[in-house]
Each structure stands twice: as C-alpha cells, then as structure tokens.
Amino acid sequence: MGAAQREILGETFGFLSTHLPLLLGLAVLMAVAIAAESLLRRGVGERGRRRLFLGLVGAAVALGLTLAWQVLWLADDAFISFRYARNLARGWGLVFNQGEWVEGYTNFLWTALLGGLGWLGADIPYAGLFGCLLCFAAALVAVAVTVRKVAVGPQVIPFAALALAGSAPFYTFASSGLETMPLALLGVVAMWVSTLRRGALLAGLVLVLAAMTRPDFLLIYGCMGLALVVEDLCFGEGRFLRRIDWGRLTAFAVPFVFVYLPYFMIRWRVYGDIFPNTYYAKSGGLSYFRQGSVYLFHFMATTGGWIWLPLFGLSLAGRPRDRNETRLRAFALLSALIYGGYVVKVGGDFMEHRFLVPLLPLIAVAAEISLRHHLRRLRSPGLALAGVAVVSLAVAVALLPIRLIGPYQLRWMLAAEHTFYPVKKLIPLRVGSGYVEEGEALHRALVERGLRPHLVGAAIGMLGYYSDLPLVDALGLTNRRIAHKRIHFRGRPGHEKGGTVEEIVEEGGILAGWPMWGERWASATRVEIDGRDLYFVRLDSEVSAAIEKIPGAKVPDPGAQVRRLVRERPREEVLEALPFYRIFLQGRPDREALLSALEGRLRSVLDFEEEELPPQTTSFGRGLKRVSGVAPPGASGTGWLSSLPDRGDGTGRLEVTIPSLDADELRFVLGGAASEKLTVRLLVEGAVAREARPQGGQGLSPVAWSLAELRGRQATLVIEDADPAPGIGLLLDGVHFGAGMGDVRERLARWRGGEVDDPAALIREAERLLPGDDPDRLAIGEQVEARWTLAALPEGTALLGEAFGRGPIRHAIPGQRDISGGNGGALLNSYQPGDRALGRVEFPERELSGGPIVVLVGGGASCSKTYVGLEVDGVVVKRVCGKNDETLRPMTLDTAKWKGRRGRLVAVDESKDGWGHILLGDVIFLRPGR
C-alpha cells in the first residue's frame, strides 16, 4: 500500500469515526425499511404495492434531483463538446476550429445530439445541463424497473434506486454536462431491454449507442456478450458449446456490424485516426497502474466500496434463479472487473469518481436482485437478521457523503471538479468560473471588433466556447500534433503532454492569457486591451497593428526592446534573447533587421548554442564535442565545448577559420585541468599569435586577447586537447569579439562618465567576461563596499522556519529543476523540503551608505510572498523576486532614500503555491555614486 492509499484510508476511517452516529442512524433506517417492506408485502395487495412502489420511485427521483441541484455544475470539459456541437449546428461540421478536423471529443452521440438541438434553436449549455439531469432521473427509474422485473417476489421499496439517488458520486455527476450520466442510463437500459422479447438485439443496439457515446464502452458491450454466453452455459442443454444460442449472439452482434462499424469507418476517414484524439492526448495506450490504483482506492473509500463491493461479490455466489438473473449478475460482475480494470490500467481520470460512476447502476441492480434472492432463502432468523444488518451497514456507508478532496483542491492528482465550476445563476446561465468571464471579455475585445487571432489555451472549454476564437490547445486535446507527442513523465492524467512554445507557434498560436515565454519575457510580450493583459506568443504584424488602433491598447515594441538590449544589457541576456526573437518575430518585415542588431552585438565566433558548429569549423578526433544542458560555472547559454569524457581518451582538435580580425579584442571563457597539452591558440599566417591554457579549479574563467596590431588579418583559432589521460580535458564557451556598442568595456566607459547604467548587470558582466587583473574589472571592483558570497552566512544571520533548511547549499533540492546563473557558488534555497515550506532569513543590520545592493535572485515571481527585500525599521521598503524559473539573475535594491539609516536584507518565503520558493546567490554592496 502506497503513501497516498494510506492517507486516503486514514482520512476515511477518521471521517467515519467522527460521523458514527449518522452512520448508525442510516443503518437503522435501512434496516427499518427492509422490515417495513416485509410487512407491506403481506399487508398490502398487488395494486397497493404497485402504487407505493411507483410513489417511492418518484421519491427517489425527487431526492436525487434535490441533492443534484445543490451541487449543480457544468464541467469545463463539457464546453469542449458544447463548442463542437455549436459548430455542427452552424454547419461547419464536428470541429473545434472551423476547417480543422480533429476529434477532440470522446462522446460522439452526446455531442451530435446537442448539436442537433442547437440546430433546432436550443441553447446548448442548457441542453447539456438539463439533458444530464433528465438522464439521471431516467437512470433511477430504469434501475427500479429492472429490479422489479427480474427480482424474486413482490417488491415495494426500490432500494437500489433510493441508494443511487443518495449516493454522492452519482448525484454529483447528475449535472456536469458530460456524457457520464447518459452512459449510466444506457448501461442500465441495456440491462432492462435484455429481459424483453428480442432482448439480445435490443441490448446490442443500446450498448452500441453507448459505445458511440464513449468508445471505451465497447468493453461494456463485450461484457454483455459474455454474459449472454454465461447465461446459455448455465441454462442451455447438451454438450458445452451446443448450449450456446448462436442465433441470439448473432442478433446481439447485428447492431455492432451494421451500426457501429459503419460509424467507425466514417469517423476514421474523416478524422484520420483510429482512436479519438483525446485517447492520444491522455496516453490511453500506456499503462498507469500506480495512479489507477490510487483512483480506485479513493473511489472505494469515498463510496463505501470497501464494504459494499465485497458484499456485491458474495451476493453473486450461488446458482441464480433464472436466465434473467444470471445474465444481469454476470453482466454487472464482468463490467466491474473488465471495465474497472481498464480504468485502473489507464490511470483513471483527474476528476474524482467520473470514470467509475456508470458502473454504479449496473452494480446496484445486480446487487439488489441477488440480495433479495439470498435473503428470501435464509430460513434461520439469526442468519436473516445478520444479513439485514450487513446490508444495512453497507448501504449506510454508501450513502455517507465522504469528501476527502476539498473545494478548489488537488490531492493525489484528483480534483472535486464540481467545486470549480458551480452554476451560480440559472437564468441567465452563469457558471462560477473565471474562464467564463475571460472568454466573454476576449469576445468583446477581439471578436466584436472583427479580430479572430488564434488563442492559446490549456483549459479550453469555457474559454473556447465563450470567446468563440480559433484556439490552439496547449495540452493537445484538440491538437493532433501535441496529442501524438511521446510522454516523458507520468503525472496528473490528461495533463501530461504540452506543446512547446515553438510547436504552439507552428500550430498558429498568436495570443495567450499567460506569458507562455515565461516571466522572463512577460513584459516583452504583454499586450493590454480594455484593461486586460494578454501575451503574444508570436508578434503577428496584422494583429498587432489592429490592436494598436483600439483606444487605450498597448502592444509590444520590439524595436525599442532590441535597442535597449543591444545598448544596455549584459551579453548573456542578448544571447538568451536571440532564440526568443527568432521565433517571436516570425513573419514580421522587421525581423531580419532586429536579429542582425542582436547578432552584431554578440559578435560571436563560437557560442555553441546551435546543434551544428559553424561551416568554417573543422574537427579532428572525437574528443571535443558540443555539450548542452545546465551550463558549468562561467559558461553562458545552453551549449559549450567540452573534451571531458566519461571514460577513456578525450583528445581532439577544433580549427575555426576567422576571415578577418575586425575588433581590438577577442574574449572567451576557458576551463579545465592545468595541463600543458590543453591549449587555445590564435594562428596568424601559421604562427602562434596568442595562446591560453586552463588554470585548473572549478568552472570557466575569462580570457581576453588584445588584437590591436592584428586587425584586418585572417586567422585560425585552434582549440586542442592533446592530453590522453582519462578525465583530463578542457571547457570553452563564448568566443566573441568585444569593444562594440553595448559591450562591457563600452558600458564601463559610460559608467565612469556618469551615464546611468544597471549596476546589477554591469558588475556581474565585468566579472564574467574580464580577467581578474583587467584594469576595467579592477576599476569597477573598487565600487564594491562589501560582499557576501554566502559560502557561510554573515555573523548574526537568523534562519527562521523550515523553508531554507540549515542554510546555504550549492545545488538544487531533489525534485527541483537544475539551478543556473549562480556560477556554482553557494546560495540560499527555500525549496526545502518543497514549495509548501515557509520561512525567512534575516541578515544582520548595517548602516546603509546609499549605494545599491546587487543580489542574485531566482525562483518564484510573486514578489508579495517570495522575495528578497530591504527592511528598514521593520518595514520592507524594497523587494525583488524571480521569474518562475531556477535561473539566478542580478537585481538591484536601491538604498539612496535611506542613506545613513540602519537596514537589513531579508529573504522571505510566505507561499505554499507552485513556485512558492526563492533563491538568493551572493550579495554585493556598492558604494554610492560612480
């Protein structure tokens, strides 16, 4: 038993123990009802029993609808089907986006029915809501009628119908707008029609309709076929196979051959996939037993299945009374085992109970039929009393509404979905979800102004329905490309795949409701319309120009962004920006000019950011290779050169032809063992003009070569590892020309001249790109008043709470993404033991000189809850935070306003949400002025 199962079990029995009086009261009520029926059977005639039975069926329906009305809701997923249905009613076909034939629904018959009602003028969300409630009521009636027809002896109280009416999972899904309740109805109707003349044909037809409502109900269809075989084997005559009524099985198969197969072939031809697109999006072909067992365990615990399911199994023991009872018993048992096993195999669903709810009527019918049969056969009063007690307790536990997942809560990768989307108002219909307001706002802001850009969404139901915009589904439910991606991890079922930004752009995505490029590029992609923020995924020229004409709207200005990057920002930020703008600016006429400006600022010879080396590069041997991942200290970007093998000889040589040395300086970062056989050389006319070797130690260190007397000449850069010793090799990154506009030396000159620059970026860039004895680096170093490397906390520092553990560490926490940007130094990390931990670090007070404090910060982007701040007189007056990633970036806390006063630095984690942590690298106190 796993940790989740133990937690579910503990909370379930804790709930039962605190509600023991209610549980016993329900059990007593059930026992009284059984006794009352026994008396009524003897004291009331057939007509009276029938009237009383019908009245109680009506009471069951009324009870169920009353309980369902209290949790009335419409699922976001239902609105995906609603949008397909609306497009069908419009004459566009069963499509999510006009002209895009992707089967992003799993309930053809339900969606087609809603589309037909929409074509007739019905409001589709209303039709979905009341259609589900009608199916719920009809299912209760069908359960009662089926039991009355098959069970032994006269009946007065429809126990199964009443129990289902009061079952929280069943009445919760009485609304929802999903196909769950139509499936439950079709399943129990199949039981009922199987008892009629031509029952096999009718049951086959009903279950084929169920399979057209949800494809995995083909398993239920197969279970009925097996049940027919079991019935024949039990009651047929002759040798084993001759007992089977092949004519009846043929009749059962007729609807499959003449209804389902033609439907299947048509939809396969239309959509191009054997299974619905959602099957691929949710990785239905893979096994996920670990989560499926949690799903089943939670279902058993919260529905009382731990007691009524074994009772159901026992009730099926023994020879049935007749063919009908045999068939229905076998059908219910096989459905529970085979379909239930399938649900466990695929991992269940993210909505609690949903996939198993259609089994409840089948089990309820078979259980009541069997229990009535067995209880009537008990001649011993003691055994009869014990049987009634067990049955009463089982029903009482089933009726107890055990809720382990609270409103708006995600536990065990499950959600009580009805709490997210309650119906707040019936006329006009209002669902209590921000997706409704967001969709309506987008419709007003864009569609009503004649704009229909492709929107990107993850929860696409209400957003897609109410915005009526073409939409790219980031999770792949309605997108074939994303749905067919390989799955790399198992998590919340149905939410494990996602499109990269590049894939979203290729699929036509233009706008999103959140910064898809991450907080790092949020300001660069933000667009404001009618006071609402949206974010460009790709800065489409036509859409951007149209939005710009809207009064008060604001759109990104990539020209100004690039100019600032080129003139003011560190080289590593420009390097990070280049792949972003390559995609973000696709299709714009100014794209090439802006990219050229960025590339000109980088002036790269070798950055190793691309998979392939430049064409002017020649490689000898296998030792030197481009490596990608989390960069070692001193490197930048996502790629670098390495000759450090896992084992064996890593020797090799790389030659790069430089047509012209067109700058005064060539810089790079170099690391590796201090070996004479590891070299980087600049050859001019075959002679060595410059040479460098690694100095050992951790990370990569900057190297700068003056080229003043070599300008304009052709050269060859030779990078060589000639040391065959295992584990000995070099690292190299960022070979580039310097001294142009925006380069660190040019910006340092402006710093010295008093021109405003970002000290947080400049001090770090000088350390990253210039050697330790470089005059410019020494000059900027004189601005440092004090520095905390955090290898050890300054004396007087207080660690409070659990979030920061025991203090500084040099690595990510297990389960956390790799940390970059810190040059391998020590840092404070509040991801200990996870995002739910809270805490703060209070550094010692010091007198503030008025100079800026430069800090390396990463982690969460919520500056109100996770931040590094300046505290003066107990009040946090300045704060900085991360960008929802694990990259440490230099940021500045200005202290000029509090010069001469005492203050202290604090690192604070007050968040239990996702990205609820903060990272703090070393701290630099700069002197005021330049």
Side-chain angles (χ1 to χ4, degrees):
M1 185 183 297
Q5 287 91 332
R6 289 194 296 272
E7 191 175 4
I8 291 169
L9 190 62
E11 292 191 23
T12 299
F13 282 101
F15 183 92
L16 291 173
S17 64
T18 57
H19 293 78
L20 191 58
L22 176 59
L23 179 63
L24 295 176
L26 288 172
V28 169
L29 182 64
M30 180 64 189
V32 169
I34 295 173
E37 190 192 51
S38 180
L39 294 173
L40 289 169
R41 281 203 304 262
R42 299 187 183 93
V44 179
E46 174 58 28
R47 180 177 293 182
R49 287 196 298 267
R50 187 171 181 274
R51 288 177 178 175
L52 189 55
F53 175 81
L54 292 176
L56 289 173
V57 171
V61 171
L63 171 66
L65 288 175
T66 300
L67 294 171
W69 201 262
Q70 293 175 1
V71 291
L72 203 65
W73 66 293
L74 280 172
D76 185 70
D77 278 15
F79 280 84
I80 299 176
S81 297
F82 294 170
R83 174 158 159 154
Y84 272 95
R86 183 175 64 187
N87 288 343
L88 177 64
R90 288 171 170 173
W92 296 353
L94 278 171
V95 294
F96 192 77
N97 294 327
Q98 187 176 7
E100 297 180 16
W101 289 88
V102 181
E103 193 178 8
Y105 59 91
T106 325
N107 49 7
F108 164 76
L109 203 59
W110 179 240
T111 301
L113 175 62
L114 293 175
L117 292 173
W119 182 77
L120 292 172
D123 181 89
I124 289 175
Y126 275 121
L129 177 66
F130 286 102
C132 282
L133 289 170
L134 181 62
C135 288
F136 169 74
L140 295 177
V141 173
V143 165
V145 169
T146 305
V147 172
R148 183 173 176 83
K149 181 175 179 60
V150 176
V152 62
Q155 299 151 52
V156 178
I157 300 178
F159 289 105
L162 286 166
L164 277 177
S167 170
F170 200 67
Y171 68 68
T172 295
F173 278 90
S175 49
S176 85
L178 298 166
E179 73 283 356
T180 309
M181 206 46 60
L183 281 175
L185 171 62
L186 289 170
V188 73
V189 166
M191 297 180 95
W192 174 63
V193 299
S194 75
T195 67
L196 304 177
R197 187 169 176 266
R198 301 185 186 275
L201 176 65
L202 293 173
L205 178 60
V206 170
L207 290 175
V208 158
L209 296 178
M212 293 170 65
T213 304
R214 187 170 182 89
D216 42 25
F217 249 56
L218 277 175
L219 295 172
I220 303 294
Y221 173 88
C223 290
M224 179 60 83
L226 292 174
L228 293 171
V229 172
V230 171
E231 174 193 343
D232 286 341
L233 292 177
C234 289
F235 289 90
E237 297 180 355
R239 303 178 74 175
F240 190 73
L241 291 180
R242 291 189 177 183
R243 297 181 189 178
I244 298 174
D245 186 343
W246 296 103
R248 190 170 66 150
L249 284 180
T250 300
F252 178 73
V254 164
F256 179 82
V257 174
F258 291 100
V259 178
Y260 188 83
L261 285 182
Y263 150 75
F264 177 83
M265 298 304 293
I266 292 170
R267 59 151 294 281
W268 187 4
R269 181 176 179 83
V270 169
Y271 291 113
D273 286 319
I274 295 178
F275 300 111
N277 195 65
T278 51
Y279 171 87
Y280 304 101
K282 296 185 177 184
S283 301
L286 301 178
S287 296
Y288 195 9
F289 286 106
R290 176 169 53 86
Q291 178 59 22
S293 65
V294 173
Y295 189 79
L296 178 63
F297 205 88
H298 173 269
F299 177 81
M300 298 281 283
T302 54
T303 63
W306 54 272
I307 184 170
W308 59 251
L309 195 59
L311 180 62
F312 166 66
L314 287 173
S315 72
L316 301 182
R319 185 175 178 83
R321 183 173 58 93
D322 57 19
R323 278 181 168 271
N324 282 335
E325 186 175 332
T326 301
R327 181 176 59 258
L328 298 191
R329 279 192 191 185
F331 176 56
L333 178 61
L334 289 168
S335 296
L337 293 175
I338 295 175
Y339 181 77
Y342 164 78
V343 170
V344 172
K345 184 257 183 191
V346 299
D349 186 44
F350 67 92
M351 298 187 204
E352 62 172 356
H353 305 136
R354 176 192 173 191
F355 280 0
L356 295 173
V357 162
L359 291 177
L360 291 176
L362 312 185
I363 293 171
V365 167
E368 183 174 355
I369 291 171
S370 299
L371 289 171
R372 282 182 178 276
H373 177 62
H374 288 307
L375 288 176
R376 284 178 64 88
R377 294 176 62 189
L378 293 176
R379 302 303 179 190
S380 166
L383 286 176
L385 187 61
V388 169
V390 172
V391 170
S392 299
L393 181 62
V395 175
V397 173
L399 291 175
L400 204 63
I402 302 173
R403 302 283 193 186
L404 302 185
I405 301 174
Y408 309 105
Q409 194 176 35
L410 180 65
R411 300 188 71 188
W412 312 299
M413 292 189 283
L414 303 174
E417 198 78 354
H418 66 281
T419 66
F420 288 81
Y421 308 109
V423 173
K424 293 291 188 181
K425 189 176 181 181
L426 196 60
I427 303 176
L429 183 64
R430 297 298 298 177
V431 180
S433 169
Y435 293 131
V436 175
E437 287 76 13
E438 186 178 356
E440 291 175 335
L442 287 169
H443 191 275
R444 289 191 299 268
L446 297 171
V447 177
E448 292 181 8
R449 290 180 169 122
L451 297 175
R452 296 186 64 85
H454 272 70
L455 186 70
V456 182
I460 62 170
M462 296 174 186
L463 183 66
Y465 188 85
Y466 286 103
S467 71
D468 203 19
L469 285 166
L471 196 146
V472 178
D473 180 12
L475 295 180
L477 291 178
T478 61
N479 184 278
R480 181 176 285 106
R481 175 177 181 168
I482 296 170
H484 283 262
K485 290 177 66 174
R486 291 183 62 185
I487 195 165
H488 297 290
F489 71 95
R490 295 314 310 249
R492 189 181 181 194
H495 296 74
E496 298 157 305
K497 294 183 181 179
T500 64
V501 179
E502 293 84 352
E503 290 166 339
I504 294 295
V505 168
E506 289 180 17
E507 293 299 301
I510 294 176
L511 287 172
W514 75 99
M516 280 204 69
W517 286 97
E519 291 295 328
R520 166 70 180 85
W521 299 107
S523 60
T525 59
R526 183 181 292 114
V527 55
E528 184 178 327
I529 310 174
D530 297 341
R532 299 180 69 91
D533 285 343
L534 291 171
Y535 298 87
F536 274 105
V537 185
R538 177 178 65 83
L539 190 58
D540 183 273
S541 298
E542 294 182 5
V543 174
S544 172
I547 292 175
E548 200 168 9
K549 295 177 182 178
I550 299 173
K554 299 176 183 178
V555 298
D557 183 351
Q561 295 169 11
V562 169
R563 286 192 295 273
R564 182 171 181 268
L565 277 166
V566 168
R567 180 175 171 80
E568 300 177 10
R569 303 308 299 164
R571 184 177 187 280
E572 60 184 1
E573 285 192 24
V574 181
L575 187 66
E576 185 182 10
L578 189 57
F580 161 69
Y581 282 108
R582 281 176 180 159
I583 299 172
F584 185 63
L585 299 176
Q586 278 186 18
R588 290 184 61 91
D590 57 352
R591 177 177 182 265
E592 295 307 317
L594 295 175
L595 293 180
S596 295
L598 293 170
E599 291 167 348
R601 161 65 195 279
L602 291 173
R603 309 192 73 194
S604 295
V605 177
L606 289 171
D607 262 327
F608 306 105
E609 297 304 297
E610 306 295 335
E611 292 288 339
E612 301 294 330
L613 294 173
Q616 66 270 25
T617 302
T618 306
S619 180
F620 302 90
R622 299 182 179 180
L624 287 163
K625 297 179 181 179
R626 177 193 179 274
V627 180
S628 62
V630 178
S636 58
T638 59
W640 61 95
L641 190 71
S642 173
S643 66
L644 289 172
D646 293 332
R647 58 184 180 275
D649 180 5
T651 61
R653 186 171 80 255
L654 204 68
E655 295 185 359
V656 186
T657 301
I658 303 175
S660 175
L661 299 173
D662 60 355
D664 289 334
E665 191 171 37
L666 185 70
R667 294 199 295 264
F668 53 90
V669 289
L670 178 65
S675 170
E676 292 293 323
K677 296 181 179 181
L678 305 178
T679 58
V680 181
R681 291 170 289 163
L682 186 68
L683 305 183
V684 179
E685 297 176 356
V688 178
R690 301 287 184 271
E691 186 173 37
R693 293 183 177 85
Q695 301 301 306
Q698 296 291 320
L700 293 82
S701 301
V703 176
W705 287 339
S706 173
L707 304 177
E709 73 278 17
L710 302 174
R711 287 197 65 160
R713 298 170 70 177
Q714 182 177 340
T716 302
L717 184 70
V718 180
I719 306 156
E720 185 170 18
D721 178 353
D723 195 326
I728 300 296
L730 61 75
L731 301 168
L732 181 98
D733 194 20
V735 183
H736 65 281
F737 293 113
M741 171 61 72
D743 180 71
V744 64
R745 292 200 190 279
E746 189 269 342
R747 291 170 57 221
L748 282 168
R750 285 192 274 133
W751 169 281
R752 286 192 296 271
E755 187 176 339
V756 175
D757 206 323
D758 182 357
L762 191 54
I763 189 73
R764 302 285 178 185
E765 191 172 14
E767 293 179 343
R768 192 183 266 281
L769 297 180
L770 302 179
D773 59 354
D774 187 276
D776 280 336
R777 177 169 170 176
L778 294 173
I780 190 67
E782 292 177 358
Q783 296 292 323
V784 176
E785 179 182 278
R787 185 169 198 163
W788 296 338
T789 64
L790 298 189
L793 291 175
E795 185 177 351
T797 302
L799 277 171
L800 306 175
E802 300 179 354
F804 292 92
R806 296 182 180 180
I809 56 177
R810 292 182 178 271
H811 49 74
I813 305 298
Q816 184 180 20
R817 300 176 188 177
D818 291 322
I819 297 171
S820 61
N823 287 337
L827 71 149
L828 287 167
N829 183 350
S830 73
Y831 193 80
Q832 303 183 58
D835 275 334
R836 297 187 65 79
L838 305 178
R840 61 189 281 130
V841 180
E842 297 176 348
F843 290 90
E845 281 192 344
R846 57 183 289 133
E847 184 175 324
L848 302 175
S849 66
I853 305 173
V854 183
V855 291
L856 279 178
V857 176
S862 174
C863 276
S864 62
K865 294 184 177 180
T866 54
Y867 60 89
V868 174
L870 173 65
E871 186 178 277
V872 179
D873 296 333
V875 177
V876 177
V877 295
K878 290 282 185 179
R879 60 183 73 193
V880 291
C881 56
K883 297 181 181 293
N884 281 358
D885 57 30
E886 309 294 12
T887 300
L888 289 160
R889 296 183 177 89
M891 298 186 183
T892 301
L893 292 165
D894 186 16
T895 72
K897 187 176 179 180
W898 297 275
K899 181 179 180 179
R901 296 173 65 177
R902 297 189 65 79
R904 67 180 176 189
L905 208 64
V906 293
V908 178
D909 180 349
E910 296 177 341
S911 173
K912 293 185 177 181
D913 301 327
W915 287 110
H917 64 275
I918 193 75
L919 309 176
L920 173 62
D922 68 344
V923 179
I924 300 176
F925 294 85
L926 295 179
R927 304 181 192 281
R930 293 285 190 265

